[in-house]
Amino acid sequence: MKLTAYVVDYDMAKLGVPIQAVIRMFGETLPVETLVLSKLASDAMLFEVEALHAIG
């Protein structure tokens, strides 16, 4: 599993919500995660998450 999070207007205080969501979903075994600071397709979008899961 790998997560990529694209974040607009980066501020560590804003990352608490998505970080807690990932911890709730995965528990102690967290996936590899990449944080990309960017501008998204729409000004109304504040973040976007891409998740990949390989089965095998």
Side-chain angles (χ1 to χ4, degrees), residues 20-56:
Q20 290 304 313
V22 170
I23 291 170
R24 279 194 309 275
M25 285 189 297
F26 296 100
E28 296 295 320
T29 308
L30 297 177
V32 173
E33 191 167 2
T34 302
L35 175 64
V36 180
L37 309 178
S38 66
K39 180 171 172 76
L40 301 177
S42 165
D43 288 339
M45 296 173 68
L46 300 178
F47 68 91
E48 178 178 335
V49 177
E50 173 186 19
L52 301 173
H53 182 248
I55 299 174

Side-chain angles (χ1 to χ4, degrees), residues 3-22:
L3 296 178
T4 303
Y6 299 88
V7 179
V8 173
D9 194 22
Y10 177 76
D11 181 346
M12 279 301 290
K14 294 178 184 176
L15 290 181
V17 172
I19 289 171
Q20 290 304 313
V22 170

